[in-house]
Amino acid sequence: MKRYKKKVLLPVAGMVVVAGLAACGGNNDESANASNNGTNSNGDLSEERMSVRIMAPSFAPDPVGNDSPALQAIEDYTNMDIELQFVANANYEDRFNVTLASGDLPEIIVAYKDASFISAAEDGAFWDVTDYLDDYENLSGANEVVLNNASINGRQYGIYRSRPLGRNAATINTQWLENLGLEMPTTIEEFHEVLRAFTYDDPNQSGQDDTYGMVVSEWEGPWDQMQVWFGTPNEWGENENGELEPDFMSDEYRDALAFFREMYEEGLVNEDFAIMDSGEWFDPFVSQQAGMVVDVADQANRLQNQITDDYSDDEIIVDVFGGVEGPNGLQIKPTTGYHGVLAISTTSVETEEELRRVLQFLNDLSDEEPQNLSYNGVEGVHHEVNEDGTVDITSQSEGGDLFDREVRDLNQFQVAIPEEKFKLPPQSALQQRADEVMEENMEYVVPNPAEPLVSNTYRERGSQLDNIIDDARIQYIVGQIDESGLDEAVERWLNSGGTEYMQEINEAYQEAQAAQ
Amino acid sequence: MAKNTTQALETNKISFWDKMKRDRWLYFLVLPGLIWFIVFKYVPMWGTLIAFQNYSPFLGFWGSEWVGFDHFERLFQNPDFFRVLRNTLILAFYETIFVFPAPIILALMLNEIRMTGYKRTIQTLVYMPNFLSWVIIASLTFVFFTTNGGVVNMIIEYFTGSTVNFLGDPNWFRTMIIGQQIWKDAGFGTIIFLAALTSVSKEQYEAAIVDGAGRFRRMWHVTLPAIRHVIIILLILRMGNFLDQGFQQIYLMTNALNRQVAEVFDVYIYFTGITQGAFSHSTAVGLFKGVVGIVLILGTRYIAKRLNQETLF
């Protein structure tokens, strides 16, 4: 063992030194270029434009073409020739696999951390960029928690596309609260009381029993969020021996489920939630039959918009809260903080020099000007800037598809690291409130220690394993099974590969901790 | 049939190549179909080989590692396997005894209607559901059967005071699936049987009437035997798809409460293979399904032959 270690250590040490030197050397050149680029949008003219192909999901029916003026402005700013390969979001996963199989990968490709991407990364399809990020002004400001989440066993195989970490929150009908003389709930007891009052105390003063507390659909997200309020770990938590255990093995999980079951028995949530299509999820809230929805903070604005189209600030009847205090104080389940990564192909980007060029490009994209270009388009063509620094996206508000054709999906290859710098349209009081809540949540979020860890068993049987536990939870809430049924489900989970999964996660966890 | 051809060959003494030459233009007409079959049905079959690999799209077919029967072993050792197999077999059995005869019964009933206009209208109406997609049928089912204000449950509640959770209760799942299939496909399935019924000569009915046979007797002794061969052929064809439950329908009707009985091979392949990128494993499951299909086809054919009925091949 010892001899083996020595043999390996020497070349590794050598490599580290070389890589370090290379990084330093590169760093000087690149930062010089970067400052050139930053101050002078013409860039370094002596350097020829490099062409990059970018594959990304699109949401517009007719995605941005390569002749878009906004794209051309981005090309000028970053000194790159960009060729966009948009794929409709619904087919993205399929196309990603097909592209992998074809062997002809674009230089930059949006990838989600699923089994295909993980195995491709392990097979060497993408650059491991972990050690490069610190050399770039914007990219070095990446959030540690998100980096960890986006990594595969601690290594970065792409630059994450950032999303707010504290995005989870509940939306509540404040008109009902006022009618009932209740305050915003802050503890689980108050939360329960509010739901009970929403169901039984006629919150809409119609004189009829036509309301209930909270609407849930077949999507299990809200339960995941709410159980963390009760102190359940976020998917994985350490037990007293310092080993990782899945959330459902904790006592808090059982407490949370008992509470949910009581909620269901009392009729505080819709009876048919387990079979309700998630597309219809918000309808009862919008039609003011249900008074609460547990989803994300920005949902509040969309719901209010559905209640009163194009609302003004005094028409707002909803409010947002991140969560309520449980036995361990306020705990909120964070999102992963990113949505896919921009992975760089090793087959199309062959040399380290080219890699640095691509990284520089992604770094520069996060400057304020290109961020504005990709979110708002070109000033005077797609948007106007108001006096207070907000923008009015004229190409969208005037109708027509100019914005869709020339701007909309350009933000799909925007990483927004370290933060979003683009100008926003004027925000309603509700949107500002939602932003505040997201900010506040950051203090209370519980990270998932196993997020970056990879298990082969989970890769093979993950959805089966997840289904066992998720189904049992729903069955318990609606009263189809009891405590012993939950125990059986855990038993079945362990026998179906859960034991191996836990083992693999713990091994990876120990390795990751030893590496730090 | 087979006997006749060999006899013909012997008596006419025409060799295979002479026949080919004589009918060359007919064979030429077959060519496009044949090519289509080879290119789109046979050539892709070699892809089945990834069932014996750990296929990774990036490494490709040639770069992926060969693992032999690993995926089959894993499949048979998986505790889910028997549950999925059981669900699939039970549902397939119900489909064969409830869904398969439905169009036959409907066709016989339609055949008894003597008013042409009325018959035509009914026929058109029962064809209709066939043109709806499963997504629409699943939504309609939800709207009608939900416990939150669905019409069916409102009626049940009015009479009994309690509701029935048709959509969530695992005991109702198979009934709902079979019911949907009959509603959607029975009408359209009658086309073939009605066509076969037109070939029954009036004389046979007249003879039966003279012999004093009532309506039911006529149906049993004249109509049914006349379409017997069509029924047998369709049954054999059906057997080949015995394990196909139609992914869409099951997927749309599955939820957390009924998954225990709802998970059949088609859905299982989707979850393990497509959503998790386990291409090799799902190919192995698909291959297993194919083998079962062949065994069932050959089995049905054998039984049909023993019962002295005609077969397809």
PDB file of all heavy atoms in Angstrom, chain B residues 87-116:
ATOM      1  N   ASN B  87     -48.180  -7.640 -12.263  1.00  0.00           N
ATOM      2  CA  ASN B  87     -49.079  -6.579 -12.736  1.00  0.00           C
ATOM      3  C   ASN B  87     -49.327  -6.706 -14.221  1.00  0.00           C
ATOM      4  O   ASN B  87     -50.447  -6.567 -14.698  1.00  0.00           O
ATOM      5  CB  ASN B  87     -48.478  -5.202 -12.463  1.00  0.00           C
ATOM      6  CG  ASN B  87     -48.474  -4.866 -10.989  1.00  0.00           C
ATOM      7  OD1 ASN B  87     -49.225  -5.457 -10.234  1.00  0.00           O
ATOM      8  ND2 ASN B  87     -47.627  -3.938 -10.594  1.00  0.00           N
ATOM      9  N   THR B  88     -48.235  -6.955 -14.969  1.00  0.00           N
ATOM     10  CA  THR B  88     -48.348  -7.013 -16.414  1.00  0.00           C
ATOM     11  C   THR B  88     -49.220  -8.190 -16.828  1.00  0.00           C
ATOM     12  O   THR B  88     -50.121  -8.052 -17.661  1.00  0.00           O
ATOM     13  CB  THR B  88     -46.961  -7.157 -17.043  1.00  0.00           C
ATOM     14  OG1 THR B  88     -46.094  -6.196 -16.463  1.00  0.00           O
ATOM     15  CG2 THR B  88     -47.011  -6.939 -18.533  1.00  0.00           C
ATOM     16  N   LEU B  89     -48.966  -9.358 -16.220  1.00  0.00           N
ATOM     17  CA  LEU B  89     -49.700 -10.556 -16.611  1.00  0.00           C
ATOM     18  C   LEU B  89     -51.181 -10.432 -16.253  1.00  0.00           C
ATOM     19  O   LEU B  89     -52.041 -10.766 -17.065  1.00  0.00           O
ATOM     20  CB  LEU B  89     -49.100 -11.788 -15.923  1.00  0.00           C
ATOM     21  CG  LEU B  89     -47.743 -12.231 -16.491  1.00  0.00           C
ATOM     22  CD1 LEU B  89     -47.214 -13.436 -15.732  1.00  0.00           C
ATOM     23  CD2 LEU B  89     -47.852 -12.547 -17.974  1.00  0.00           C
ATOM     24  N   ILE B  90     -51.464  -9.924 -15.054  1.00  0.00           N
ATOM     25  CA  ILE B  90     -52.871  -9.803 -14.657  1.00  0.00           C
ATOM     26  C   ILE B  90     -53.609  -8.875 -15.614  1.00  0.00           C
ATOM     27  O   ILE B  90     -54.683  -9.196 -16.130  1.00  0.00           O
ATOM     28  CB  ILE B  90     -52.980  -9.265 -13.212  1.00  0.00           C
ATOM     29  CG1 ILE B  90     -52.452 -10.308 -12.236  1.00  0.00           C
ATOM     30  CG2 ILE B  90     -54.417  -8.915 -12.881  1.00  0.00           C
ATOM     31  CD1 ILE B  90     -52.468  -9.849 -10.798  1.00  0.00           C
ATOM     32  N   LEU B  91     -52.976  -7.744 -15.899  1.00  0.00           N
ATOM     33  CA  LEU B  91     -53.635  -6.771 -16.777  1.00  0.00           C
ATOM     34  C   LEU B  91     -53.809  -7.362 -18.178  1.00  0.00           C
ATOM     35  O   LEU B  91     -54.856  -7.209 -18.805  1.00  0.00           O
ATOM     36  CB  LEU B  91     -52.816  -5.483 -16.807  1.00  0.00           C
ATOM     37  CG  LEU B  91     -53.588  -4.209 -17.094  1.00  0.00           C
ATOM     38  CD1 LEU B  91     -54.758  -4.066 -16.137  1.00  0.00           C
ATOM     39  CD2 LEU B  91     -52.671  -3.009 -16.950  1.00  0.00           C
ATOM     40  N   ALA B  92     -52.773  -8.069 -18.655  1.00  0.00           N
ATOM     41  CA  ALA B  92     -52.842  -8.665 -19.991  1.00  0.00           C
ATOM     42  C   ALA B  92     -53.959  -9.710 -20.038  1.00  0.00           C
ATOM     43  O   ALA B  92     -54.702  -9.808 -21.020  1.00  0.00           O
ATOM     44  CB  ALA B  92     -51.510  -9.309 -20.347  1.00  0.00           C
ATOM     45  N   PHE B  93     -54.095 -10.468 -18.954  1.00  0.00           N
ATOM     46  CA  PHE B  93     -55.135 -11.492 -18.879  1.00  0.00           C
ATOM     47  C   PHE B  93     -56.514 -10.839 -18.945  1.00  0.00           C
ATOM     48  O   PHE B  93     -57.377 -11.239 -19.730  1.00  0.00           O
ATOM     49  CB  PHE B  93     -54.944 -12.289 -17.587  1.00  0.00           C
ATOM     50  CG  PHE B  93     -55.975 -13.343 -17.373  1.00  0.00           C
ATOM     51  CD1 PHE B  93     -56.003 -14.486 -18.177  1.00  0.00           C
ATOM     52  CD2 PHE B  93     -56.922 -13.214 -16.376  1.00  0.00           C
ATOM     53  CE1 PHE B  93     -56.961 -15.461 -17.985  1.00  0.00           C
ATOM     54  CE2 PHE B  93     -57.890 -14.192 -16.179  1.00  0.00           C
ATOM     55  CZ  PHE B  93     -57.910 -15.309 -16.983  1.00  0.00           C
ATOM     56  N   TYR B  94     -56.712  -9.805 -18.135  1.00  0.00           N
ATOM     57  CA  TYR B  94     -57.998  -9.111 -18.149  1.00  0.00           C
ATOM     58  C   TYR B  94     -58.284  -8.534 -19.527  1.00  0.00           C
ATOM     59  O   TYR B  94     -59.413  -8.562 -19.997  1.00  0.00           O
ATOM     60  CB  TYR B  94     -58.007  -7.975 -17.118  1.00  0.00           C
ATOM     61  CG  TYR B  94     -58.149  -8.433 -15.694  1.00  0.00           C
ATOM     62  CD1 TYR B  94     -57.933  -7.560 -14.632  1.00  0.00           C
ATOM     63  CD2 TYR B  94     -58.506  -9.746 -15.398  1.00  0.00           C
ATOM     64  CE1 TYR B  94     -58.063  -7.970 -13.322  1.00  0.00           C
ATOM     65  CE2 TYR B  94     -58.629 -10.168 -14.092  1.00  0.00           C
ATOM     66  CZ  TYR B  94     -58.403  -9.283 -13.049  1.00  0.00           C
ATOM     67  OH  TYR B  94     -58.532  -9.694 -11.755  1.00  0.00           O
ATOM     68  N   GLU B  95     -57.240  -7.997 -20.140  1.00  0.00           N
ATOM     69  CA  GLU B  95     -57.455  -7.411 -21.464  1.00  0.00           C
ATOM     70  C   GLU B  95     -57.926  -8.478 -22.435  1.00  0.00           C
ATOM     71  O   GLU B  95     -58.803  -8.242 -23.257  1.00  0.00           O
ATOM     72  CB  GLU B  95     -56.157  -6.771 -21.979  1.00  0.00           C
ATOM     73  CG  GLU B  95     -55.954  -5.377 -21.432  1.00  0.00           C
ATOM     74  CD  GLU B  95     -54.603  -4.805 -21.798  1.00  0.00           C
ATOM     75  OE1 GLU B  95     -53.971  -5.314 -22.741  1.00  0.00           O
ATOM     76  OE2 GLU B  95     -54.166  -3.852 -21.125  1.00  0.00           O
ATOM     77  N   THR B  96     -57.320  -9.662 -22.326  1.00  0.00           N
ATOM     78  CA  THR B  96     -57.676 -10.717 -23.265  1.00  0.00           C
ATOM     79  C   THR B  96     -59.108 -11.191 -23.029  1.00  0.00           C
ATOM     80  O   THR B  96     -59.836 -11.435 -23.981  1.00  0.00           O
ATOM     81  CB  THR B  96     -56.698 -11.890 -23.135  1.00  0.00           C
ATOM     82  OG1 THR B  96     -55.390 -11.363 -23.142  1.00  0.00           O
ATOM     83  CG2 THR B  96     -56.860 -12.861 -24.279  1.00  0.00           C
ATOM     84  N   ILE B  97     -59.522 -11.306 -21.771  1.00  0.00           N
ATOM     85  CA  ILE B  97     -60.880 -11.843 -21.587  1.00  0.00           C
ATOM     86  C   ILE B  97     -61.958 -10.766 -21.600  1.00  0.00           C
ATOM     87  O   ILE B  97     -63.104 -11.073 -21.857  1.00  0.00           O
ATOM     88  CB  ILE B  97     -61.000 -12.718 -20.316  1.00  0.00           C
ATOM     89  CG1 ILE B  97     -60.640 -11.929 -19.055  1.00  0.00           C
ATOM     90  CG2 ILE B  97     -60.133 -13.966 -20.422  1.00  0.00           C
ATOM     91  CD1 ILE B  97     -60.982 -12.698 -17.804  1.00  0.00           C
ATOM     92  N   PHE B  98     -61.604  -9.503 -21.338  1.00  0.00           N
ATOM     93  CA  PHE B  98     -62.653  -8.476 -21.351  1.00  0.00           C
ATOM     94  C   PHE B  98     -62.593  -7.569 -22.576  1.00  0.00           C
ATOM     95  O   PHE B  98     -63.608  -7.280 -23.185  1.00  0.00           O
ATOM     96  CB  PHE B  98     -62.594  -7.609 -20.088  1.00  0.00           C
ATOM     97  CG  PHE B  98     -62.919  -8.359 -18.836  1.00  0.00           C
ATOM     98  CD1 PHE B  98     -61.971  -8.552 -17.862  1.00  0.00           C
ATOM     99  CD2 PHE B  98     -64.194  -8.887 -18.652  1.00  0.00           C
ATOM    100  CE1 PHE B  98     -62.277  -9.257 -16.710  1.00  0.00           C
ATOM    101  CE2 PHE B  98     -64.512  -9.594 -17.494  1.00  0.00           C
ATOM    102  CZ  PHE B  98     -63.546  -9.788 -16.523  1.00  0.00           C
ATOM    103  N   VAL B  99     -61.391  -7.105 -22.914  1.00  0.00           N
ATOM    104  CA  VAL B  99     -61.291  -6.134 -24.000  1.00  0.00           C
ATOM    105  C   VAL B  99     -61.396  -6.822 -25.352  1.00  0.00           C
ATOM    106  O   VAL B  99     -62.057  -6.327 -26.256  1.00  0.00           O
ATOM    107  CB  VAL B  99     -59.972  -5.338 -23.911  1.00  0.00           C
ATOM    108  CG1 VAL B  99     -59.887  -4.335 -25.034  1.00  0.00           C
ATOM    109  CG2 VAL B  99     -59.874  -4.651 -22.566  1.00  0.00           C
ATOM    110  N   PHE B 100     -60.759  -7.981 -25.483  1.00  0.00           N
ATOM    111  CA  PHE B 100     -60.760  -8.643 -26.792  1.00  0.00           C
ATOM    112  C   PHE B 100     -62.169  -9.015 -27.274  1.00  0.00           C
ATOM    113  O   PHE B 100     -62.510  -8.749 -28.421  1.00  0.00           O
ATOM    114  CB  PHE B 100     -59.838  -9.875 -26.764  1.00  0.00           C
ATOM    115  CG  PHE B 100     -59.776 -10.593 -28.060  1.00  0.00           C
ATOM    116  CD1 PHE B 100     -59.082 -10.044 -29.126  1.00  0.00           C
ATOM    117  CD2 PHE B 100     -60.448 -11.796 -28.247  1.00  0.00           C
ATOM    118  CE1 PHE B 100     -59.046 -10.687 -30.353  1.00  0.00           C
ATOM    119  CE2 PHE B 100     -60.414 -12.434 -29.465  1.00  0.00           C
ATOM    120  CZ  PHE B 100     -59.713 -11.883 -30.515  1.00  0.00           C
ATOM    121  N   PRO B 101     -63.027  -9.640 -26.428  1.00  0.00           N
ATOM    122  CA  PRO B 101     -64.354 -10.013 -26.941  1.00  0.00           C
ATOM    123  C   PRO B 101     -65.299  -8.833 -27.116  1.00  0.00           C
ATOM    124  O   PRO B 101     -66.301  -8.978 -27.810  1.00  0.00           O
ATOM    125  CB  PRO B 101     -64.915 -10.956 -25.859  1.00  0.00           C
ATOM    126  CG  PRO B 101     -63.816 -11.184 -24.904  1.00  0.00           C
ATOM    127  CD  PRO B 101     -62.827 -10.098 -25.056  1.00  0.00           C
ATOM    128  N   ALA B 102     -64.982  -7.678 -26.508  1.00  0.00           N
ATOM    129  CA  ALA B 102     -65.931  -6.558 -26.545  1.00  0.00           C
ATOM    130  C   ALA B 102     -66.372  -6.194 -27.965  1.00  0.00           C
ATOM    131  O   ALA B 102     -67.571  -6.089 -28.223  1.00  0.00           O
ATOM    132  CB  ALA B 102     -65.348  -5.350 -25.812  1.00  0.00           C
ATOM    133  N   PRO B 103     -65.445  -6.004 -28.910  1.00  0.00           N
ATOM    134  CA  PRO B 103     -65.906  -5.652 -30.259  1.00  0.00           C
ATOM    135  C   PRO B 103     -66.710  -6.769 -30.930  1.00  0.00           C
ATOM    136  O   PRO B 103     -67.586  -6.475 -31.744  1.00  0.00           O
ATOM    137  CB  PRO B 103     -64.615  -5.367 -31.037  1.00  0.00           C
ATOM    138  CG  PRO B 103     -63.515  -5.853 -30.203  1.00  0.00           C
ATOM    139  CD  PRO B 103     -63.988  -5.977 -28.802  1.00  0.00           C
ATOM    140  N   ILE B 104     -66.438  -8.035 -30.580  1.00  0.00           N
ATOM    141  CA  ILE B 104     -67.182  -9.139 -31.185  1.00  0.00           C
ATOM    142  C   ILE B 104     -68.644  -9.060 -30.747  1.00  0.00           C
ATOM    143  O   ILE B 104     -69.565  -9.106 -31.567  1.00  0.00           O
ATOM    144  CB  ILE B 104     -66.583 -10.500 -30.770  1.00  0.00           C
ATOM    145  CG1 ILE B 104     -65.114 -10.550 -31.167  1.00  0.00           C
ATOM    146  CG2 ILE B 104     -67.360 -11.645 -31.389  1.00  0.00           C
ATOM    147  CD1 ILE B 104     -64.383 -11.775 -30.687  1.00  0.00           C
ATOM    148  N   ILE B 105     -68.820  -8.871 -29.426  1.00  0.00           N
ATOM    149  CA  ILE B 105     -70.177  -8.785 -28.903  1.00  0.00           C
ATOM    150  C   ILE B 105     -70.902  -7.580 -29.510  1.00  0.00           C
ATOM    151  O   ILE B 105     -72.038  -7.664 -29.962  1.00  0.00           O
ATOM    152  CB  ILE B 105     -70.130  -8.673 -27.360  1.00  0.00           C
ATOM    153  CG1 ILE B 105     -69.546  -9.971 -26.791  1.00  0.00           C
ATOM    154  CG2 ILE B 105     -71.501  -8.394 -26.782  1.00  0.00           C
ATOM    155  CD1 ILE B 105     -69.150  -9.881 -25.331  1.00  0.00           C
ATOM    156  N   LEU B 106     -70.162  -6.467 -29.573  1.00  0.00           N
ATOM    157  CA  LEU B 106     -70.759  -5.247 -30.135  1.00  0.00           C
ATOM    158  C   LEU B 106     -71.134  -5.464 -31.595  1.00  0.00           C
ATOM    159  O   LEU B 106     -72.210  -5.042 -32.044  1.00  0.00           O
ATOM    160  CB  LEU B 106     -69.756  -4.095 -29.993  1.00  0.00           C
ATOM    161  CG  LEU B 106     -70.303  -2.691 -30.118  1.00  0.00           C
ATOM    162  CD1 LEU B 106     -71.355  -2.426 -29.058  1.00  0.00           C
ATOM    163  CD2 LEU B 106     -69.172  -1.677 -29.967  1.00  0.00           C
ATOM    164  N   ALA B 107     -70.260  -6.158 -32.336  1.00  0.00           N
ATOM    165  CA  ALA B 107     -70.529  -6.392 -33.752  1.00  0.00           C
ATOM    166  C   ALA B 107     -71.758  -7.281 -33.912  1.00  0.00           C
ATOM    167  O   ALA B 107     -72.610  -7.030 -34.779  1.00  0.00           O
ATOM    168  CB  ALA B 107     -69.312  -7.034 -34.415  1.00  0.00           C
ATOM    169  N   LEU B 108     -71.865  -8.304 -33.068  1.00  0.00           N
ATOM    170  CA  LEU B 108     -73.032  -9.184 -33.147  1.00  0.00           C
ATOM    171  C   LEU B 108     -74.315  -8.413 -32.856  1.00  0.00           C
ATOM    172  O   LEU B 108     -75.332  -8.590 -33.513  1.00  0.00           O
ATOM    173  CB  LEU B 108     -72.880 -10.345 -32.159  1.00  0.00           C
ATOM    174  CG  LEU B 108     -71.790 -11.370 -32.485  1.00  0.00           C
ATOM    175  CD1 LEU B 108     -71.692 -12.421 -31.398  1.00  0.00           C
ATOM    176  CD2 LEU B 108     -72.049 -12.018 -33.832  1.00  0.00           C
ATOM    177  N   MET B 109     -74.220  -7.513 -31.862  1.00  0.00           N
ATOM    178  CA  MET B 109     -75.393  -6.724 -31.529  1.00  0.00           C
ATOM    179  C   MET B 109     -75.769  -5.794 -32.667  1.00  0.00           C
ATOM    180  O   MET B 109     -76.945  -5.673 -33.027  1.00  0.00           O
ATOM    181  CB  MET B 109     -75.135  -5.924 -30.238  1.00  0.00           C
ATOM    182  CG  MET B 109     -75.290  -6.783 -28.984  1.00  0.00           C
ATOM    183  SD  MET B 109     -74.401  -6.155 -27.550  1.00  0.00           S
ATOM    184  CE  MET B 109     -75.158  -4.583 -27.312  1.00  0.00           C
ATOM    185  N   LEU B 110     -74.753  -5.156 -33.251  1.00  0.00           N
ATOM    186  CA  LEU B 110     -75.024  -4.249 -34.370  1.00  0.00           C
ATOM    187  C   LEU B 110     -75.617  -5.024 -35.539  1.00  0.00           C
ATOM    188  O   LEU B 110     -76.497  -4.536 -36.256  1.00  0.00           O
ATOM    189  CB  LEU B 110     -73.734  -3.550 -34.812  1.00  0.00           C
ATOM    190  CG  LEU B 110     -73.223  -2.424 -33.927  1.00  0.00           C
ATOM    191  CD1 LEU B 110     -71.849  -1.975 -34.365  1.00  0.00           C
ATOM    192  CD2 LEU B 110     -74.189  -1.242 -33.970  1.00  0.00           C
ATOM    193  N   ASN B 111     -75.156  -6.244 -35.697  1.00  0.00           N
ATOM    194  CA  ASN B 111     -75.595  -7.062 -36.817  1.00  0.00           C
ATOM    195  C   ASN B 111     -77.074  -7.400 -36.719  1.00  0.00           C
ATOM    196  O   ASN B 111     -77.730  -7.664 -37.718  1.00  0.00           O
ATOM    197  CB  ASN B 111     -74.765  -8.350 -36.844  1.00  0.00           C
ATOM    198  CG  ASN B 111     -74.925  -9.086 -38.143  1.00  0.00           C
ATOM    199  OD1 ASN B 111     -74.893  -8.474 -39.201  1.00  0.00           O
ATOM    200  ND2 ASN B 111     -75.140 -10.390 -38.062  1.00  0.00           N
ATOM    201  N   GLU B 112     -77.575  -7.403 -35.492  1.00  0.00           N
ATOM    202  CA  GLU B 112     -78.976  -7.754 -35.303  1.00  0.00           C
ATOM    203  C   GLU B 112     -79.908  -6.575 -35.577  1.00  0.00           C
ATOM    204  O   GLU B 112     -81.106  -6.749 -35.691  1.00  0.00           O
ATOM    205  CB  GLU B 112     -79.206  -8.253 -33.877  1.00  0.00           C
ATOM    206  CG  GLU B 112     -78.495  -9.562 -33.559  1.00  0.00           C
ATOM    207  CD  GLU B 112     -78.951 -10.700 -34.467  1.00  0.00           C
ATOM    208  OE1 GLU B 112     -80.168 -10.838 -34.678  1.00  0.00           O
ATOM    209  OE2 GLU B 112     -78.080 -11.431 -34.991  1.00  0.00           O
ATOM    210  N   ILE B 113     -79.352  -5.382 -35.632  1.00  0.00           N
ATOM    211  CA  ILE B 113     -80.191  -4.210 -35.887  1.00  0.00           C
ATOM    212  C   ILE B 113     -80.602  -4.223 -37.350  1.00  0.00           C
ATOM    213  O   ILE B 113     -79.763  -4.382 -38.237  1.00  0.00           O
ATOM    214  CB  ILE B 113     -79.438  -2.907 -35.563  1.00  0.00           C
ATOM    215  CG1 ILE B 113     -79.050  -2.890 -34.085  1.00  0.00           C
ATOM    216  CG2 ILE B 113     -80.301  -1.702 -35.882  1.00  0.00           C
ATOM    217  CD1 ILE B 113     -78.195  -1.718 -33.700  1.00  0.00           C
ATOM    218  N   ARG B 114     -81.889  -4.061 -37.587  1.00  0.00           N
ATOM    219  CA  ARG B 114     -82.361  -4.159 -38.969  1.00  0.00           C
ATOM    220  C   ARG B 114     -82.569  -2.788 -39.614  1.00  0.00           C
ATOM    221  O   ARG B 114     -82.569  -2.692 -40.827  1.00  0.00           O
ATOM    222  CB  ARG B 114     -83.652  -4.980 -39.026  1.00  0.00           C
ATOM    223  CG  ARG B 114     -83.437  -6.456 -38.760  1.00  0.00           C
ATOM    224  CD  ARG B 114     -82.688  -7.143 -39.911  1.00  0.00           C
ATOM    225  NE  ARG B 114     -82.125  -8.435 -39.483  1.00  0.00           N
ATOM    226  CZ  ARG B 114     -80.825  -8.705 -39.483  1.00  0.00           C
ATOM    227  NH1 ARG B 114     -79.948  -7.800 -39.899  1.00  0.00           N
ATOM    228  NH2 ARG B 114     -80.392  -9.879 -39.073  1.00  0.00           N
ATOM    229  N   MET B 115     -82.734  -1.748 -38.799  1.00  0.00           N
ATOM    230  CA  MET B 115     -82.935  -0.419 -39.397  1.00  0.00           C
ATOM    231  C   MET B 115     -81.576   0.168 -39.783  1.00  0.00           C
ATOM    232  O   MET B 115     -80.764   0.471 -38.917  1.00  0.00           O
ATOM    233  CB  MET B 115     -83.627   0.528 -38.405  1.00  0.00           C
ATOM    234  CG  MET B 115     -85.104   0.217 -38.201  1.00  0.00           C
ATOM    235  SD  MET B 115     -85.650   0.822 -36.621  1.00  0.00           S
ATOM    236  CE  MET B 115     -85.464   2.582 -36.905  1.00  0.00           C
ATOM    237  N   THR B 116     -81.340   0.301 -41.076  1.00  0.00           N
ATOM    238  CA  THR B 116     -80.013   0.670 -41.552  1.00  0.00           C
ATOM    239  C   THR B 116     -79.550   2.022 -41.014  1.00  0.00           C
ATOM    240  O   THR B 116     -78.426   2.168 -40.552  1.00  0.00           O
ATOM    241  CB  THR B 116     -79.979   0.716 -43.090  1.00  0.00           C
ATOM    242  OG1 THR B 116     -80.854  -0.296 -43.581  1.00  0.00           O
ATOM    243  CG2 THR B 116     -78.582   0.511 -43.604  1.00  0.00           C
TER     244      THR B 116
END
